[in-house]
């Protein structure tokens, strides 16, 4: 919406329908209820006096699978994966049951593709333990449709990953 200069009321002047629509009605179209297009959406500020609807997403894979790769890779059942329309940041939550056949650690991280290209990093990963999880603030995204995909690696040995969860709250 293009904003016009503020209107000043003057005693005795006529307040037209066009003025009402511009200065009153159209303002209600800029509220969260007016912007909502689906249930479950959240709203983020995109600038001064501007908001946008965002839809959180989550995905879950129960299948227990393994890797011995020391670089981040997809497992046989890829993911979980979440596609989300984001601004420049998002909250990303990971959880999984992880173990390792030896003394090394096992990590679950995530890649971002689509509008952004961001490789998995140990700084944004969860590691070996009976069951663990963490939430990361992912910044540096290019606004638009971004795909978040869980990927896995080990330090040594064979890592086993089960009950894999990925949730994205776009900001």
């Amino acid at each position: 919406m293009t904003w016009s200069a503020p209107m000043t009321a003057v005693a005795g002047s006529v307040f037209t329908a066009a003025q009402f629509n511009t200065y009153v009605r159209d303002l209600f179209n800029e509220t969260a209820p007016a912007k909502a297009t689906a249930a479950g959406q959240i709203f983020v500020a995109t600038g001064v006096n501007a908001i946008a609807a965002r839809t959180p997403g989550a995905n879950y894979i129960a299948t227990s699978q393994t890797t011995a790769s020391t670089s981040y890779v997809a497992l046989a059942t890829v993911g979980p994966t979440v596609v989300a329309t984001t601004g420049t940041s998002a909250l990303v939550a990971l959880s999984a049951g992880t173990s390792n056949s030896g003394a090394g650690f096992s990590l679950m991280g995530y890649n971002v593709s689509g509008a952004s290209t961001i490789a998995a990093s140990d700084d944004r990963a969860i590691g070996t333990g009976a069951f663990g999880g963490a939430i990361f603030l992912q910044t540096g995204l290019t606004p638009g449709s971004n795909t978040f995909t869980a990927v896995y690696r080990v330090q040594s040995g064979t890592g086993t990953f089960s009950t894999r969860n990925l949730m994205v709250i776009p900001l």
Side-chain angles (χ1 to χ4, degrees), residues 39-50:
Q41 289 182 317
I42 62 171
F43 297 87
V44 298
T46 57
V48 177
N49 297 320

Side-chain angles (χ1 to χ4, degrees), residues 72-142:
Y72 281 102
V73 296
L75 298 180
T77 303
V78 176
T81 298
V82 173
V83 178
T85 300
T86 71
T88 58
S89 59
L91 292 174
V92 180
L94 299 173
S95 68
T98 62
S99 63
N100 191 287
S101 65
F105 55 81
S106 302
L107 294 171
M108 174 186 180
Y110 62 91
N111 291 328
V112 183
S113 60
S116 306
T117 302
I118 299 172
S121 166
D122 291 353
D123 294 339
R124 296 181 323 277
I126 58 173
T128 304
F131 191 86
I135 299 173
F136 303 95
L137 175 61
Q138 177 63 61
T139 59
L141 295 170
T142 301

